Amino acid sequence: MSANQSPDQSPAGQPPTATYDSAFLKACRREPVPHTPVWFMRQAGRSLPEYRKVREGIPMLESCMRPELVTEITLQPVRRHGVDAAIYFSDIVVPLKAIGVDLDIKPGVGPVVENPIRTRADLARLRDLTPEDVSYVTEAFGLLTAELGETPLIGFAGAPFTLASYLVEGGPSRNHEHTKALMYGDPQLWADLLDRLAEITAAFLKVQIEAGASAVQLFDSWVGALAPADYRRSVLPASTKVFDAVAGYGVPRIHFGVGTGELLGLMGEAGADVVGVDWRVPLDEAARRVGPGKALQGNLDPAVLFSSREAVEAKTDEILAAAEGLEGHVFNLGHGVLPTTDPDALTRLVEYVHTRTAR
């Protein structure tokens, strides 16, 4: 397979690979599907008792670097829920840790950076990422693709803006004051920071695709904090650089952010094949904002899963109705699975969507 040949893109004269005709990849390519495919952001994680058991006593970042543990955690929701795709178990700060950034993931807090990046001298600390830096990722993907068979495996990375916000703030932030101060106060340093992060992110996604990822998702968790004009000027070039860097592989590229209703069109413009939508914008309206030529992913409010089975099904019906007529639809939540979600509610939801949309 050449460097630009997707593991799910069949070369001329050769039969398609095992995952090529999966419902998930068909929906991403905006082709007819046997049923609406389903997967959940954070499907591998704290909502599952089997996850808590295998992670017991193991720090988050360490768990991301153990290929056999990553394989087990990634497979757990596929076994339990029957989802149409697995998503690689990792964290968006893994590539930053891999290049030597002094950070840790603190329980109950999130990623914390020991020395935030706020000056041009600080930028020099962000070196290039090499495949050798994340050899455990390549190993885990090999184990996973062997186990998953016809089930696609989604790779992922944090988008340049969200990574920058962690690096500049030093951790999670409600108002992003240091981030915005840098973005507005020193636009050239900001552009250089995001460009460097785009290169690191693209390198991380390439490792995953070359190891067997069937699709990739770029998470821009915090970009909803920006106005459209600021996104276009200060974020779009870096996100576009990431998507362009992996375009030659032919795997679907998904873009997701939280609170990004006003940015949906721009996020599609960045180069995604599939635009993720949170629960604040109905899918038919999201399609209007994104424009033609893109599939959509979403968008049940994760909190709905705490309601009755009837209420969950009613809200699901609303989403499926709004998705009718879309060029392609992947059912997902509008954000990640909440830690105290009943796993059985997720299993029932997968079965319900599959049954309701069977063609």
Side-chain angles (χ1 to χ4, degrees):
M1 188 173 73
S2 73
N4 285 332
Q5 179 63 55
S6 159
D8 286 292
Q9 188 180 45
S10 58
Q14 293 188 22
T17 56
T19 63
Y20 186 82
D21 285 326
S22 63
F24 169 73
L25 289 177
K26 280 177 172 286
C28 290
R29 297 194 301 263
R30 296 176 286 124
E31 297 172 359
V33 291
H35 59 262
T36 297
V38 187
W39 72 277
F40 305 116
M41 290 178 281
R42 293 191 193 142
Q43 64 187 18
R46 292 170 293 175
S47 66
L48 298 181
E50 55 266 43
Y51 167 83
R52 295 193 294 271
K53 183 176 180 181
V54 298
R55 268 282 323 276
E56 193 171 3
I58 305 173
M60 178 63 184
L61 280 172
E62 184 183 334
S63 70
C64 295
M65 299 173 191
R66 295 190 184 184
E68 291 185 355
L69 180 60
V70 167
T71 299
E72 168 59 22
I73 292 171
T74 302
L75 291 172
Q76 285 175 350
V78 179
R79 295 191 202 111
R80 181 188 270 261
H81 305 314
V83 287
D84 293 278
I87 184 162
Y88 182 71
F89 174 75
S90 187
D91 190 273
I92 64 170
V93 298
V94 162
L96 299 180
K97 183 73 172 180
I99 62 169
V101 175
D102 188 359
L103 60 80
D104 196 9
I105 299 176
K106 308 261 187 201
V109 178
V112 175
V113 179
E114 184 66 27
N115 299 299
I117 289 181
R118 295 176 186 170
T119 69
R120 184 157 294 280
D122 294 332
L123 190 59
R125 288 158 35 204
L126 301 179
R127 66 168 176 83
D128 291 342
L129 178 83
T130 69
E132 292 71 32
D133 292 323
V134 288
S135 58
Y136 48 86
V137 172
T138 300
E139 184 179 344
F141 266 84
L143 294 171
L144 278 163
T145 51
E147 288 280 344
L148 284 165
E150 297 179 358
T151 302
L153 175 58
I154 304 168
F156 80 92
F161 175 83
T162 292
L163 294 180
S165 72
Y166 278 118
L167 287 170
V168 175
E169 299 291 338
S173 173
R174 184 180 296 273
N175 299 310
H176 306 280
E177 56 266 39
H178 296 293
T179 304
K180 292 183 178 181
L182 178 60
M183 185 176 73
Y184 297 132
D186 194 339
Q188 188 57 56
L189 175 56
W190 173 260
D192 293 345
L193 170 60
L194 259 66
D195 189 68
R196 181 74 56 85
L197 290 170
E199 291 172 355
I200 293 165
T201 298
F204 190 52
L205 290 178
K206 286 178 181 179
V207 167
Q208 296 175 64
I209 295 170
E210 292 181 7
S214 296
V216 290
Q217 176 157 308
L218 194 65
F219 282 89
D220 217 346
S221 309
W222 306 127
V223 80
L226 297 184
D230 290 330
Y231 180 95
R232 179 177 289 283
R233 178 176 56 248
S234 303
V235 176
L236 183 61
S239 295
T240 300
K241 182 171 183 172
V242 175
F243 284 124
D244 285 351
V246 298
Y249 290 97
V251 302
R253 298 159 296 169
I254 310 168
H255 202 7
F256 174 76
V258 185
T260 52
E262 298 300 320
L263 305 178
L264 289 172
L266 290 166
M267 291 177 72
E269 195 178 313
D273 305 295
V274 184
V275 177
V277 184
D278 73 14
W279 65 92
R280 297 169 177 87
V281 180
L283 288 177
D284 47 358
E285 171 59 18
R288 189 189 67 77
R289 297 183 188 187
V290 170
K294 310 284 183 185
L296 296 185
Q297 179 176 278
N299 66 339
L300 183 71
D301 185 339
V304 170
L305 289 164
F306 291 82
S307 191
S308 66
R309 182 171 184 164
E310 293 74 21
V312 172
E313 292 178 356
K315 292 300 290 185
T316 301
D317 286 343
E318 287 180 19
I319 289 163
L320 295 175
E324 287 205 17
L326 295 185
E327 295 182 64
H329 177 221
V330 176
F331 192 97
N332 206 314
L333 303 181
H335 198 193
V337 174
L338 297 169
T340 53
T341 303
D342 177 3
D344 290 343
L346 293 167
T347 306
R348 288 194 299 267
L349 178 56
V350 174
E351 183 179 5
Y352 185 74
V353 172
H354 284 172
T355 302
R356 278 277 286 106
T357 61
R359 293 167 176 85

